[in-house]
Structure formats: structure tokens, C-alpha cells
Amino acid sequence: MLTLGIHYLTGYATATDASRREQAEWPPHPGRVFMALAAALYETKPDFADTSALTQWQDEYSFLEWFEALDPPALKVSDHDKREIVTSYVPVNDKPSFPTNRQPRTFPKVRPHDPNVFLIWPTAVANDVQQQAIARLCAKVTRIGHSSSLVQMWLIPTGAEPEPDLFPVSEPAPHMELTHLRITTAGCLRELQQQFNNDAIEQFFDFSIRIDSVKGNARKAIEADFEREFGKKWSRSLTPPARLRPRLTITRTYVRTTPAPEKAVRGYFDANLLILTKQEGASLGLEATATLTDALRGALLKTCGETAEWLTGHRVEGSPSNRPHVALIPLGFVGGDYADGHLLGLAFAFPRDVSARERGRAMRSLLYGAENQPTEIKLTLGRLGIWTLRQEDRSSPPLALRSETWCRSARIWASVTPVVLNRHPKIDPDKDKAAWFAEIAETIAASCEHSGLPRPVEIDLDKTSWHQGAPRARPGAGGFPLLPGKPSAPARQQVHVWLRFADLVEGPVILGAGRYRGYGLCKPWKNPTS
């Protein structure tokens, strides 16, 4: 077995997909990895006088000739997050760098969840000389793809190979999720040499130097040799032979074979959020959740004119509904190293039993204008000014504006906005904190059941969120205001929670008495597989 490991040193992979210039290539195609090895080979070609180094180089060349004819490898590769593509304007080579001379360039990149990738040839058997050659070549590779896509590459010892999860197939079965990766075949190294055209270019400049260094008949003889070699007469105005961009075009179909995913438990809300991104307005933190969600609900009811129970939360006669209805949730920057809790937008979470057609019909007048063009939603927030929102439609929005950030399946969840307790605690924490904790935990467990979720197997409580950037659950400086209620009713207590479920739970997880107004929103905690 032959196995190569690749570690992306920056945590990002930058390489352009060969079929779509605006898209990043992931996983790295076996053909691209081969081209990186070939580039490392030629970049380190020694001088002919160094016979020892030249012998090793020739071993490496011979290895690549053997290596290119192997059957396509299996891969061990993680999923990834796409990064928004930014257009840069760069000067054209060999021309003055005036502003008018800059050309648009894009550098698509992805962030793999695991920066390590493995290519595995299960039936390949390399001898000692070949193993030494590939180990040296791997050590010479510094990048795969763009020059910013820095890597470390190495030969995996026999017995330490990981289990692959992406396999080449000749005849994929119906309904398989297919990926097409470029591969190598016998003769690829020679083809790359021809495309690179290095020998002809070096020969052209060698003739140029020799012609300029002599005169008379000697010069005429060299010019005649030049004409026989290149098929044209020598002239100082001649340009050297073209160097073509190397490319491999043969592909193989790959399929991912992983264990059947564990089925996640789903609550009453659908994981497909309708996300609105902020266009203009003051920079607000999560503390403004109630103000924003109340304003958005008012705009929704005013614009849509709907009386559907799933939308208004009330029956036709006006009494409160006891069935799930639309919840509004804040989308803040939390959980990262530099997270500060500022809001990037808001989202609608719909009851799962409401069809997509019914949702679209009810929301159309809020999201689209008279000519079915996307329109902005204007929220008047009193002393906080005015916010404008628009439905998110970018191909790669910030993480906080993606449904999967809030709705993927996980066992461990922690609150971003505090959970408002459905009932007032009867036990005084100053007299019996353990009993108070147990009472609150039971209330939280009941809230989970009330949202269609299982009871957690472990609950922790605190006034501080487990997610960096989320405000504290208590009102005051840097804290969360109490959820506004009826003027005559006492304010309900609110806490941050950490929950662990026995089974995977699919989001959104929204708990407590304020779940329809943005309070009690949870986010998966830590590891994507937790």
C-alpha cells in the first residue's frame, strides 16, 4: 500500500476548479497533486556536475513515470466551508503597474474541517528506492494550487494508513452522490514536459547567446542551425516558444462511502431558515433582540395581512394559539475567537408542518415588490434608528447568515440568547442552591419537550453563555435585558443553558417562554461531531 499525506498549513486550500473559474477545487484532485510533485521535481533539478544529486533526481523522475500509471487513489478527506470569492486587481506581468493596466483575478478558496488529506493506493507496492524517491519529492512540495495554498506533504508509513471515504468507481450505482476528479495516466509526465516547453525555450535562448557572441561565417552557421531547429530565420524580434499552462483532462468518478448517518431528532421548527441580512442601520448587539424581532413581526403582519394561525400565533377569534408558529431569531457573531455578538441579520424559523408553498405565498409581499423584484424591509426601532433588511442570496454568506450554523445536527447545544423560564422558580437559591438548580433544570427539560425535543441527559446553567460574544443573561451593563412582558406581570427569570442530548438533535433549538421572540436560541457547542 502507498499512502501520501497532505497538511494545509494555513487551514485553507486555494485552487481554482478546472471546469468553473469562480469555484474552488475541493478535494484536491489526484492530478493536481501529481502536478505539484512534478513541479517540485523540476524546480530542484541539480547541476549535471553533481552526479550524486543527479542520480537521486533521476530516481525521482523514474518514480513519477511509475507513479502516473497507477490506478486512481482513494481519498480520506473532510467536508469544507466555502469562502466568499473576492476579486483582486493585479498588474499584468512584464508591463508597468499603472492603475489602468490591472486585470481582475479571483482566488477561490475553501476551509476544510480537517486540514489533513490522504491519498491511498491500496494495491501499489513501491520498492525501497521508490519509497526513498517519493519521500524526497514530498519534502520538496511547498504548495498545491495557488502560491498561498501552502502544504506539508509526506509518505505515510505502512500500517499507519487511515481508512478512505472517497473511492474511484467505474460504474456508479444510481442515486449515488458523484464527484469527478482529474487523475493521471501513463505519459502524463512527458505531456507536462511538452506543455511546459522548457527544453525548447532554453534552446532558443542558448541560440540567442551564441549568435550574439560571434560574427561572420560562424554567426551564419549558427543562424542556419537555428532555422533548421525552429523552422524560421533568426531575428532579434522573434519571441521565444510559448510556455503553455499545464493541464490534465482525464477524470474518474468518485463516490463517498461512509456509514449511514445517524438519524437526528427534530423539533417543531424546520431547519431551512429564511434569512434576512442587514443592509443599513446602526451596529446593534444581541441585546437588541426583542426590539428587532418585535419590529420585524409587526412589519410581517402589516405587510402580509395574513390571519393564518401558524403565522400570527393566534386563532381567528384572537385567542393565543397552542400550536407552533413562526419564530424570529437573531443572527449574531458568536463562538469565534474575536466574536463580539454584533448582529448581522434576522431569520424566520417556520413550523415543520407548514409547506414551502404556503410559506412562500404568505411571505411574498414582505420579500418582493410589485414586479416580483426583491425588496428591502424597513424596521423603525425608535431611539435605535432604522434598520433595512433583505433576503440573503449570496452564494457564500458569513457563517452567522447560514442555516447550517444554527441548524446542523449535534448532541451538545448552548444558548446564545438566554432561555426565559416558563414558570417562576419556587425555591430560593440563597436557601438551597442545589434544589433551586434542580428545579430550573427540570423547567429547562420541560421546555425542550415543549419544543418537540427529547429531554437532555445533562444540563448546566449559568448567567454567562458558553459561546464567546453572547451577552450575559442578566440585565445591566453588557447583559441581556429581561424579555418585555405584560405591564402587570412580574418579569420572568432567564438563564444561559448548556445541554447534552443522548441522540443527535437537529436545529434550530429554540427554548423557553421567549422562543418566538428570539430568546432561548441555542447553537451547537464546539466540535462539529459532538
Side-chain angles (χ1 to χ4, degrees):
M1 182 179 290
L2 177 67
T3 305
L4 302 182
I6 302 169
H7 176 74
Y8 284 87
L9 296 171
T10 66
Y12 290 91
T14 308
T16 301
D17 190 289
S19 60
R20 295 179 60 188
R21 299 292 301 171
E22 72 280 4
Q23 181 172 302
E25 176 183 289
W26 187 260
H29 294 196
R32 186 183 291 277
V33 175
F34 179 83
M35 287 194 289
L37 290 167
L41 175 75
Y42 281 99
E43 288 168 357
T44 59
K45 186 175 183 179
D47 187 89
F48 283 98
D50 190 344
T51 56
S52 176
L54 188 59
T55 299
Q56 288 190 347
W57 186 88
Q58 289 171 336
D59 288 342
E60 294 164 11
Y61 183 95
S62 298
F63 169 82
L64 286 184
E65 285 190 311
W66 171 80
F67 183 69
E68 68 184 5
L70 295 177
D71 290 335
L75 280 77
K76 171 70 174 178
V77 62
S78 72
D79 204 352
H80 65 284
D81 295 325
K82 296 179 181 178
R83 303 292 294 177
E84 184 172 359
I85 295 177
V86 177
T87 300
S88 303
Y89 291 84
V90 298
V92 177
N93 290 340
D94 304 324
K95 293 184 179 180
S97 300
F98 296 116
T100 56
N101 192 40
R102 297 177 184 270
Q103 297 298 313
R105 292 282 304 280
T106 56
F107 305 99
K109 65 170 58 179
V110 299
R111 183 183 64 82
H113 295 170
D114 183 344
N116 295 314
V117 176
F118 301 93
L119 282 72
I120 304 153
W121 289 262
T123 60
V125 180
N127 59 36
D128 290 344
V129 173
Q130 290 171 327
Q131 289 194 27
Q132 292 169 14
I134 184 58
R136 290 194 303 270
L137 269 178
C138 286
K140 297 175 183 179
V141 174
T142 58
R143 66 183 178 93
I144 295 178
H146 188 260
S147 58
S148 65
S149 194
L150 302 175
V151 300
Q152 178 187 11
M153 195 169 173
W154 70 101
L155 176 66
I156 302 293
T158 302
E161 307 90 353
E163 287 292 328
D165 50 26
L166 197 62
F167 295 86
V169 293
S170 299
E171 298 180 3
H175 311 301
M176 280 186 169
E177 183 178 350
L178 307 181
T179 302
H180 301 281
L181 306 183
R182 288 174 295 149
I183 61 171
T184 61
T185 55
C188 278
L189 184 59
R190 187 172 298 278
E191 184 178 350
L192 291 177
Q193 286 176 304
Q194 293 172 349
Q195 291 173 340
F196 192 65
N197 211 14
N198 198 59
D199 290 342
I201 293 171
E202 287 187 355
Q203 191 176 27
F204 177 91
F205 285 111
D206 180 62
F207 269 112
S208 300
I209 294 170
R210 290 167 57 200
I211 290 171
D212 285 342
S213 64
V214 296
K215 296 181 180 180
N217 290 334
R219 180 186 178 105
K220 290 181 181 178
I222 299 174
E223 288 180 348
D225 290 341
F226 177 91
E227 186 174 355
R228 282 192 295 272
E229 184 66 33
F230 289 96
K232 59 182 71 175
K233 290 186 177 182
W234 162 255
S235 169
R236 290 184 182 278
S237 62
L238 287 177
T239 57
R243 194 188 300 280
L244 304 177
R245 182 182 292 274
R247 57 182 4 182
L248 299 176
T249 57
I250 298 176
T251 63
R252 174 61 66 86
T253 300
Y254 278 71
V255 298
R256 185 176 292 276
T257 57
T258 54
E262 181 181 349
K263 191 173 182 180
V265 179
R266 297 188 296 173
Y268 293 140
F269 296 103
D270 187 19
N272 186 22
L273 303 178
L274 194 164
I275 292 178
L276 306 176
T277 183
K278 172 194 167 187
Q279 299 293 302
E280 293 182 357
S283 178
L284 301 177
L286 283 160
E287 301 91 335
T289 291
T291 301
L292 285 163
T293 55
D294 287 351
L296 181 57
R297 185 176 295 280
L300 171 66
L301 298 179
K302 179 181 178 180
T303 305
C304 294
E306 279 282 337
T307 58
E309 193 174 332
W310 65 267
L311 190 67
T312 65
H314 291 82
R315 297 185 177 92
V316 176
E317 73 277 8
S319 62
S321 170
N322 58 7
R323 63 164 288 185
H325 57 274
V326 167
L328 308 181
I329 59 178
L331 305 178
F333 176 33
V334 296
D337 291 339
Y338 304 101
D340 59 4
H342 77 273
L343 287 167
L344 287 80
L346 301 170
F348 292 98
F350 297 98
R352 282 196 295 111
D353 60 356
V354 178
S355 69
R357 180 183 295 275
E358 191 174 356
R359 298 176 199 178
R361 182 186 59 78
M363 306 296 290
R364 175 170 293 279
S365 57
L366 179 71
L367 302 175
Y368 296 95
E371 298 181 357
N372 285 330
Q373 295 297 315
T375 187
E376 290 186 341
I377 302 166
K378 184 177 179 180
L379 303 183
T380 301
L381 308 174
R383 62 181 181 82
L384 297 181
I386 295 175
W387 254 37
T388 56
L389 300 164
R390 182 184 288 268
Q391 186 174 1
E392 177 58 59
D393 59 1
R394 288 172 288 182
S395 61
S396 183
L399 290 177
L401 297 177
R402 302 182 190 183
S403 290
E404 60 266 26
T405 297
W406 309 95
C407 300
R408 65 174 174 80
S409 299
R411 284 186 173 83
I412 302 177
W413 295 77
S415 59
V416 170
T417 57
V419 177
V420 179
L421 301 183
N422 286 309
R423 61 185 185 187
H424 298 285
K426 297 179 180 179
I427 300 174
D428 186 343
D430 293 331
K431 295 180 179 179
D432 191 340
K433 189 163 186 178
W436 173 87
F437 189 100
E439 182 185 12
I440 300 298
E442 176 57 33
T443 300
I444 297 298
S447 293
C448 291
E449 293 179 314
H450 198 61
S451 293
L453 300 172
R455 293 175 67 89
V457 295
E458 187 176 354
I459 298 176
D460 200 0
L461 311 172
D462 205 319
K463 57 181 176 291
T464 301
S465 173
W466 280 258
H467 292 291
Q468 182 168 326
R472 290 158 62 88
R474 306 290 175 83
F480 232 98
L482 296 174
L483 180 69
K486 296 179 180 179
S488 60
R492 295 177 183 265
Q493 291 190 26
Q494 54 195 39
V495 295
H496 276 299
V497 302
W498 181 96
L499 310 171
R500 183 170 67 85
F501 296 92
D503 301 312
L504 286 176
V505 167
E506 181 183 88
V509 173
I510 322 171
L511 307 173
R515 62 189 179 280
Y516 296 112
R517 300 172 65 184
Y519 281 62
L521 172 65
C522 298
K523 183 173 181 278
W525 169 243
K526 291 293 187 182
N527 195 315
T529 60
S530 64

